[in-house]
């Protein structure tokens, strides 16, 4: 079994077929088929089921793919490191919206001090998208709030974050000294998109208490949500960190929701099979706030 076998296998998985993989790799289809056959013989398993001129990955194939991506990534990084020794290295970081808005700049400043030659690229998306990018090796490390589902990830706590219920200063709930869940029944609700950790966690509390809200505004952009709240269009749930400025300016009011604060963890996540380069190790150390 060689790196070439893994490259062909991974391309077949990504392309969804032998012919498509052959075209992408600029080799013949029999060569692709032979490489897959050799891998299956080497490990004594079926990697693909061939049904009605289509291929479907087996559980053994999915297991191998999770390793193959990271072996190829490590190999490419080794090639890059050896051919460009002494030049700048790179690190790909993904973070959720709240982290990207409130925390990532401080993290990057610390990283710049400790690894000045490293070129760090950042992707900001919702937590579920960041999880997918870690699993598909599109990023090296993720920093997200909320719950990650995959058992293929190593997860470490970074810090805590509080979710708060907010409204505009003129909203009818703004002057309430205490707000109960029952008072929120049928309130107009401005929410984050599906896949957002805020929606997963706070809405679980609403669901557990059979609370019904009228979702009238949904956005991937936290600034759009804050603007909608400021203009009195409804209530919303956001990280307390995200609304500090608007609360200080009196534009947004944090509603004193009865009960314990809704606190969630912000975590770092990395694939269990990921090779931890020096830069990854440094970043993980920085994230031990």
């Amino acid at each position: 079994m060689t790196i070439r076998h893994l490259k062909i296998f991974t391309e077949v998985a990504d392309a969804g077929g032998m012919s498509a993989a052959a075209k992408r790799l600029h080799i013949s289809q029999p060569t692709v088929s032979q490489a897959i056959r050799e891998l299956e013989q080497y490990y004594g398993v079926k990697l693909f089921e061939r049904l009605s001129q289509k291929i479907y990955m087996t559980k053994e194939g999915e297991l191998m793919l999770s390793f193959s991506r990271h072996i190829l990534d490590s190999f490419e990084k080794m090639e890059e490191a050896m051919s460009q020794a002494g030049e700048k290295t790179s690190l790909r970081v993904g973070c959720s919206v709240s982290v990207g808005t409130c925390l990532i700049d401080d993290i990057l400043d610390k990283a710049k001090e400790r690894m000045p030659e490293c070129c760090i690229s950042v992707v900001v998306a919702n937590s579920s998208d960041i999880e997918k990018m870690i699993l598909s090796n599109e990023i090296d490390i993720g920093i997200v709030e909320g719950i990650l589902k995959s058992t293929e990830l190593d997860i470490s706590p970074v810090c805590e974050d509080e979710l708060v219920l907010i409204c505009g200063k003129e909203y009818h709930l703004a002057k309430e000294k205490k707000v109960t869940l029952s008072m929120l029944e049928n309130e107009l609700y401005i929410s984050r998109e599906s896949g957002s950790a805020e929606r997963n966690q706070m809405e679980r509390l609403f669901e557990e208490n059979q609370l019904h809200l009228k979702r009238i505004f949904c956005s991937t952009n936290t600034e759009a949500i804050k603007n909608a709240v400021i203009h009195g269009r409804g209530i919303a749930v956001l990280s307390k960190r995200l609304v500090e400025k608007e609360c200080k300016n009196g534009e947004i009011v944090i509603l004193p929701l009865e009960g314990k604060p809704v606190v969630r963890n912000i975590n770092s996540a990395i694939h269990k099979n990921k090779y931890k380069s020096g830069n990854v190790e440094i970043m993980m150390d920085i994230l031990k706030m």
Side-chain angles (χ1 to χ4, degrees):
M1 192 274 291
T2 65
I3 289 293
R4 176 177 171 275
H5 284 92
L6 291 182
K7 285 182 177 179
I8 293 174
F9 164 73
T10 303
E11 195 62 58
V12 171
D14 289 341
M18 305 281 185
S19 298
K23 288 179 181 178
R24 290 187 184 184
L25 294 170
H26 305 290
I27 58 179
S28 68
Q29 182 176 335
T31 300
V32 172
S33 300
Q34 177 64 24
I36 299 300
R37 189 159 52 250
E38 288 172 357
L39 274 176
E40 290 178 330
Q41 290 173 351
Y42 183 84
Y43 288 108
V45 297
K46 275 284 186 185
L47 300 174
F48 298 98
E49 289 287 353
R50 299 157 180 83
L51 302 171
S52 302
Q53 297 183 334
K54 292 184 179 180
I55 64 168
Y56 301 88
M57 186 171 289
T58 63
K59 289 184 178 180
E60 292 79 7
E62 290 174 356
L63 175 63
M64 185 167 184
L65 184 62
S66 70
F67 284 97
S68 178
R69 290 193 192 282
H70 296 283
I71 292 171
L72 291 175
D73 179 61
S74 297
F75 179 77
E76 289 170 5
K77 280 185 165 53
M78 181 190 73
E79 293 279 278
E80 179 184 355
M82 297 308 295
S83 63
Q84 300 178 6
E87 296 184 10
K88 287 188 176 181
T89 54
S90 62
L91 183 66
R92 302 165 300 170
V93 178
C95 59
S96 55
V97 175
S98 297
V99 175
T101 304
C102 303
L103 296 176
I104 194 62
D105 284 312
D106 288 340
I107 293 169
L108 293 177
D109 287 344
K110 292 177 182 178
K112 191 67 176 176
E113 290 178 4
R114 294 186 57 179
M115 39 183 174
E117 296 302 316
C118 182
C119 179
I120 304 176
S121 60
V122 178
V123 176
V124 179
N126 69 39
S127 296
S128 61
D129 287 338
I130 295 299
E131 181 173 10
K132 291 173 186 175
M133 293 176 77
I134 299 170
L135 295 172
S136 61
N137 198 43
E138 295 175 65
I139 56 176
D140 300 308
I141 189 167
I143 313 165
V144 300
E145 70 273 6
I147 299 169
L148 297 175
K149 299 178 181 179
S150 176
T151 57
E152 296 182 50
L153 301 179
D154 277 330
I155 298 170
S156 302
V158 175
C159 62
E160 288 188 341
D161 186 39
E162 183 181 353
L163 292 176
V164 291
L165 193 65
I166 60 174
C167 70
K169 63 180 180 180
E170 301 298 332
Y171 201 72
H172 70 95
L173 292 173
K175 293 183 173 22
E176 295 287 344
K177 293 183 179 180
K178 182 187 291 185
V179 174
T180 64
L181 288 175
S182 61
M183 291 169 64
L184 301 177
E185 184 70 21
N186 290 320
E187 281 291 334
L188 302 179
Y189 187 49
I190 303 162
S191 76
R192 287 283 304 277
E193 75 285 5
S194 178
S196 160
E198 282 97 341
R199 186 166 178 180
N200 289 339
Q201 287 185 273
M202 184 62 102
E203 288 193 5
R204 187 182 306 153
L205 175 65
F206 296 158
E207 289 172 4
E208 287 172 356
N209 288 273
Q210 298 182 334
L211 177 65
H212 302 96
L213 300 173
K214 296 178 181 178
R215 196 184 309 278
I216 52 100
F217 195 110
C218 184
S219 176
T220 60
N221 187 299
T222 54
E223 290 301 313
I225 292 173
K226 287 193 284 185
N227 286 335
V229 169
I230 290 169
H231 284 84
R233 308 200 191 287
I235 60 174
V237 174
L238 284 176
S239 164
K240 190 174 183 179
R241 298 171 188 264
L242 284 173
V243 296
E244 287 178 345
K245 179 181 175 182
E246 291 80 6
C247 288
K248 187 176 180 180
N249 292 340
E251 298 175 293
I252 283 177
V253 175
I254 294 177
L255 295 174
L257 188 61
E258 187 179 51
K260 294 182 179 180
V262 179
V263 177
R264 63 192 177 171
N265 287 324
I266 291 177
N267 298 309
S268 65
I270 189 170
H271 199 288
K272 289 180 178 179
N273 298 331
K274 181 76 175 177
Y275 167 69
K276 295 181 177 65
S277 66
N279 290 334
V280 170
E281 294 280 10
I282 291 172
M283 180 58 77
M284 291 175 70
D285 187 58
I286 290 169
L287 293 174
K288 295 175 183 177
M289 294 181 173

